[in-house]
Amino acid sequence: MNIVLDHSDARPLPVQICASIRSLVAEGLLEPGEKLPSTRILAEQLGVSRGTIVTAFDQLIAEGYLVARHGSGTHINPALTPKPLHPHNHPLPAPPEQPLNELTPGLPDTRGLVTPEWRAAWRDAAANPTDLFSPLGLEALRREISHHLRHMRGFSIDPSRIVVTAGARDGMELFLKTQPSNLTVGVESPGYPSLRQIPTALGHTLVDIPTDGDGLTLPTTHVDAVIATPSHQYPYGTSMSATRRTELVAWARDNERWLIEDDFDSELRYLGQPLPALASLDPEHTILLGTFSSVISPSIGCGYVVFPASLMPRVEQIRDIFRCPVSSITQQALATYLASGALRRHTGRVRRSYRRRRDLVTNSFQGIPDVTLLPINGGLHAVLLCRDPESLRARARRRGVGLTLLADYWGGAHADEGIVLGFGHLSDSELEEALGIIAEELKNTP
């Protein structure tokens, strides 16, 4: 860091250090999010006491230029927008906007993830990397996924039908590559917009299919495949009834159609046991898309597909060409982590935390007129029906809380008026503060 101290300057050394770091940020030499040297190392470089650096850092943290992250050091505030210095003017960067508590739906809590089992799995995988694995995925990981499905979903499946993917989108793309061109794919409306982008990007046609209290309704027009979230319909949160599951499976079997089951957070159920997968009811017409994003983290970039046996020869041909997109180190680490039983223990811990935060959400909106909170039986989000949700979002944002409109989801033009609240990734105190702001704004809705 290019910091020059002038001992003849009347300003105290911490003040000079603060001024130098502000200038480096303004000039773009220190970028938002960049990590700074430790106070000990910087003190040695500048020839001053560590206390002098600590004092300067504390001042810059108070001003919003720096943020201290427990366990990862001190960084330039990612929210800063530096302004380049003009040759004849030296403005300081604009202070950061008030940081938002984004109630983003679907984000998990990753704070308790880094346990000794987690560290050991990654350390061992990095120390002993191997590229000798099947294009379908590391055999050890596919076996562990099979065990995971048996323990968590009550679904027994041969590992030979499991393919490791980079997530649900990659799994969806892989399935579509096994099919002829120009399929007609039915999607839930409203529904999660992520997967629906894949068919259109590959030249297929989408048809929206409405949902009701029992989940996805049966298609009334021709479709070759349907994408469904039977365990936890997105965003309303309902589970497909047993009757509707039976009807949908019979429809697929009788018409030789595909069911694409998006099993994105079935492990995070708060009432009763996880519901049976459609793939267990009809394994020859169902493609199950699984992911570790909800129970571990989206950044892991790993999931899986359970394919019907009839599609496996074509899947193997495709993977022989394109190979598996997930690194061998990631696959080895996950295989070790799952084999240790740590994922089941982690899932149990976070499920208790999520249940507690679900109760915070439920208690926050009781007794507010013209507001309906839909039942939260699982997952990491809640749907709150209310009047004028756009105004509510704008008012909450001004107070530092980011919200998602129900209308933002696929088919949202026909959806109810409301907002979708993600409660998984915030701490209890952060969530409680954000919910209090939303409740206040709801009470003040004209």
Side-chain angles (χ1 to χ4, degrees), residues 1 3 5 7 13-14 17 21 36-57:
M1 293 177 62
I3 296 176
L5 299 179
H7 292 273
L13 294 178
I17 293 169
I21 292 177
L36 298 186
S38 69
T39 53
R40 180 184 59 79
I41 290 175
L42 190 55
E44 292 176 355
Q45 291 175 352
L46 298 180
V48 298
S49 70
R50 181 171 175 270
T52 297
I53 305 298
V54 170
T55 301
F57 276 19

Side-chain angles (χ1 to χ4, degrees), residues 112-124 296-297 299-300 333-334 337 340 342-343:
L113 179 62
V114 184
T115 59
E117 295 98 334
W118 179 260
R119 292 191 185 95
W122 286 94
R123 183 174 59 248
D124 293 347
I296 298 181
S297 169
S299 63
I300 201 69
L334 279 177
Y337 185 65
S340 71
L343 179 59

Side-chain angles (χ1 to χ4, degrees), residues 88-371:
H88 304 293
N89 190 19
H90 299 274
L92 295 176
E97 295 182 1
Q98 182 181 10
L100 286 178
N101 266 338
E102 288 281 2
L103 272 65
T104 306
L107 292 183
D109 187 347
T110 60
R111 279 164 289 202
L113 179 62
V114 184
T115 59
E117 295 98 334
W118 179 260
R119 292 191 185 95
W122 286 94
R123 183 174 59 248
D124 293 347
N128 302 287
T130 178
D131 292 326
L132 301 176
F133 63 93
S134 165
L136 301 180
L138 190 71
E139 290 186 11
L141 178 56
R142 294 161 67 199
R143 286 196 303 270
E144 292 304 327
I145 291 171
S146 176
H147 295 325
H148 173 77
L149 289 170
R150 182 166 54 85
H151 283 289
M152 303 300 291
R153 301 290 279 114
F155 177 29
S156 181
I157 188 68
D158 192 306
S160 65
R161 288 177 46 205
I162 295 172
V163 181
V164 177
T165 68
R169 295 189 193 198
D170 179 49
M172 183 70 182
E173 180 183 3
L174 180 57
F175 162 70
L176 291 173
K177 286 179 178 177
T178 70
Q179 299 299 300
S181 59
N182 197 25
L183 290 185
T184 301
V185 181
V187 292
E188 292 176 333
S189 179
Y192 194 58
S194 174
L195 285 183
R196 79 175 186 89
Q197 299 170 352
I198 307 300
T200 53
L202 296 177
H204 302 288
T205 302
L206 283 183
V207 175
D208 59 317
I209 301 176
T211 60
D212 59 20
D214 289 324
L216 178 77
T217 59
L218 295 182
T220 57
T221 59
H222 170 78
V223 293
D224 300 294
V226 295
I227 304 173
T229 52
S231 293
H232 191 210
Q233 196 277 330
Y234 213 98
Y236 280 109
T238 56
S239 298
M240 188 177 290
S241 67
T243 300
R244 184 63 54 78
R245 287 167 184 259
T246 303
E247 292 172 345
L248 189 60
V249 165
W251 169 86
R253 184 184 300 121
D254 295 343
N255 294 281
E256 289 295 320
R257 300 292 186 256
W258 297 113
L259 299 178
I260 304 167
E261 181 175 10
D262 184 8
D263 202 41
F264 64 97
D265 66 359
S266 59
E267 298 94 340
L268 303 179
R269 185 168 174 80
Y270 309 126
L271 300 175
Q273 296 300 311
L275 299 169
L278 294 180
S280 66
L281 303 177
D282 186 355
E284 288 308 314
H285 293 89
T286 306
I287 296 89
L288 185 143
L289 304 178
T291 177
F292 294 109
S293 294
S294 296
V295 292
I296 298 181
S297 169
S299 63
I300 201 69
C302 188
Y304 54 90
V305 181
V306 178
F307 278 107
S310 61
L311 289 181
M312 287 307 300
R314 178 59 180 150
V315 170
E316 291 181 18
Q317 290 176 350
I318 294 169
R319 273 299 179 83
D320 279 337
I321 298 171
F322 293 99
R323 315 302 288 177
C324 182
V326 184
S327 76
S328 62
I329 290 178
T330 297
Q331 294 191 57
Q332 287 177 263
L334 279 177
T336 302
Y337 185 65
L338 267 67
S340 71
L343 179 59
R344 289 197 294 276
R345 294 190 289 273
H346 174 72
T347 302
R349 287 193 299 270
V350 295
R351 192 157 44 195
R352 289 190 291 273
S353 296
Y354 296 151
R355 187 181 289 115
R356 185 175 63 250
R357 292 170 196 167
R358 177 203 62 171
D359 293 342
L360 282 175
V361 175
T362 301
N363 296 333
S364 296
F365 303 113
Q366 291 181 350
I368 301 178
D370 301 319
V371 169

